[in-house]
Amino acid sequence: MRTRLDHLVTSALQQGSAVPAFTCYDFTTALAVVGAAEESGLGAILLVAPKTAATPNGLRLISALRGLADAASVPVAVQLDHAMDLNVMADAVAAGADSVLADGSSLPYEDNIALVVSARALLGPDVVLEAELGDLAGDEDRAFGADKSGASVAGLTDSAQVEDFVARTGAQLLAVAVGNVHGKYKGDPQLRWDVLQDIAVRTHIPLVLHGASGIPAEELVKAAAMNVGKVNFNTELRTGVLATLQKQLPGHRADGENLQALLGHWTRTAKDFAAGTLATLTR
Ligand code: 13P
């Protein structure tokens, strides 16, 4: 059943856990994620990256994911991730996304606020808005280039800005930069628990941790106790599927194999990852 993203996150937090959100570039991965959620009886979030949503076929993917969410036996939400372009936000919502991350985190503070306020004015009151404060290193769609230890990352969320930012943007969820990065971590990620704690006491809206790939499960559980209700995964899911396909492809003769066998491997890898994540977040 398609569910408002903020309701899904709030009810998970009440149970002491966070909801995993998975970037889906395709319908096969989304089917696997929803299948894992249904088997575990837990909710999940399907993310669409902004570069995907900026294409006509990306908008069709969003419509398909909305249909998948509608038909699911567990709560599922569809979100446009990391959008800076108001036209892409409007198109994604028209196609079926019911939540948007209006991401002005790379902009000066006042411009970040202005982007979220403009998104609200454009999208109306029913679209759930996430905003981001603090600048996350790394690339949303690729694992290389983000090869940094979380501790050394500049652009941590300035907790002194949190109350003003949340009040002026009206954001319903707040993505934070507390040593998390998109892509791969060099060494162990070193989350700044002091900064996260300081943010958590300054706002009651649920917090979001991007770059969850590579962060140990127990740390994600610890973060959930500090009001982090949504944790975003892309790299681990994407690289897991790619590694499976790389391994399987040499054994598949183009003239002798059916595509379903390969899709089966793809689905199993994505489903195992989603199921493992759902289980660890709720244990
Ligand atoms: P990772 O690629 O590091 O898992 O981050 C994904 C993400 O934050 C999507 O918004």
Side-chain angles (χ1 to χ4, degrees):
M1 65 209 81
R2 193 160 47 82
T3 303
R4 275 180 65 106
L5 187 143
D6 52 347
H7 294 173
L8 181 51
V9 168
T10 306
S11 89
L13 279 171
Q14 281 162 1
Q15 318 285 321
S17 66
V19 183
F22 303 96
T23 304
C24 298
Y25 294 99
D26 60 274
F27 196 62
T28 299
T29 302
L31 277 172
V33 167
V34 172
E38 288 182 321
E39 280 176 21
S40 64
L42 296 164
I45 297 163
L46 304 175
L47 299 174
V48 176
K51 280 186 199 151
T52 306
T55 66
N57 280 343
L59 295 176
R60 289 180 175 146
L61 177 65
I62 290 175
S63 300
L65 300 195
R66 182 186 174 99
L68 192 55
D70 282 331
S73 62
V74 290
V76 175
V78 180
Q79 185 185 45
L80 171 65
D81 205 9
H82 291 294
M84 286 187 78
D85 183 326
L86 291 169
N87 292 324
V88 173
M89 294 184 207
D91 288 347
V93 168
D98 32 30
S99 173
V100 169
L101 164 52
D103 183 3
S105 60
S106 59
L107 303 174
Y109 181 69
E110 291 296 331
D111 295 347
N112 187 359
I113 292 175
L115 179 75
V116 186
V117 169
S118 303
R120 172 61 72 212
L122 179 72
L123 304 176
D126 292 338
V127 172
V128 177
L129 276 188
E130 177 178 332
E132 184 163 326
L133 186 60
D135 201 5
L136 231 68
D139 189 303
E140 163 61 18
D141 298 308
R142 298 176 308 162
F144 28 88
D147 198 17
K148 295 182 178 176
S149 153
S152 67
V153 174
L156 292 179
T157 301
D158 179 355
S159 54
Q161 294 177 330
V162 165
E163 281 144 306
D164 179 67
F165 184 77
V166 170
R168 288 173 61 198
T169 57
Q172 287 135 311
L173 297 104
L174 179 66
V176 295
V178 291
N180 45 323
V181 299
H182 283 134
K184 286 191 172 149
Y185 290 83
K186 183 176 178 186
D188 295 332
Q190 291 168 32
L191 295 186
R192 288 287 303 270
W193 299 105
D194 55 332
V195 179
L196 184 57
Q197 181 60 46
D198 207 19
I199 295 167
V201 296
R202 288 167 190 263
T203 182
H204 294 303
I205 66 168
L207 305 176
V208 180
L209 202 59
H210 286 251
S213 294
I215 298 179
E218 57 276 15
E219 298 203 1
L220 296 177
V221 172
K222 180 174 168 186
M226 296 163 83
N227 211 30
V228 172
K230 172 172 174 273
V231 288
N232 284 19
F233 295 89
N234 181 347
T235 300
E236 278 184 301
L237 174 60
R238 187 185 73 240
T239 56
V241 167
L242 284 170
T244 293
L245 293 180
Q246 243 166 10
K247 203 167 129 207
Q248 292 297 330
L249 265 174
H252 281 69
R253 283 180 31 225
D255 61 351
E257 296 289 341
N258 70 37
L259 198 51
Q260 279 168 320
L262 202 56
L263 288 174
H265 291 290
W266 179 331
T267 302
R268 259 189 303 286
T269 303
K271 201 169 169 183
D272 286 351
F273 177 72
T277 304
L278 284 156
T280 48
L281 285 173
T282 50
R283 72 175 174 219

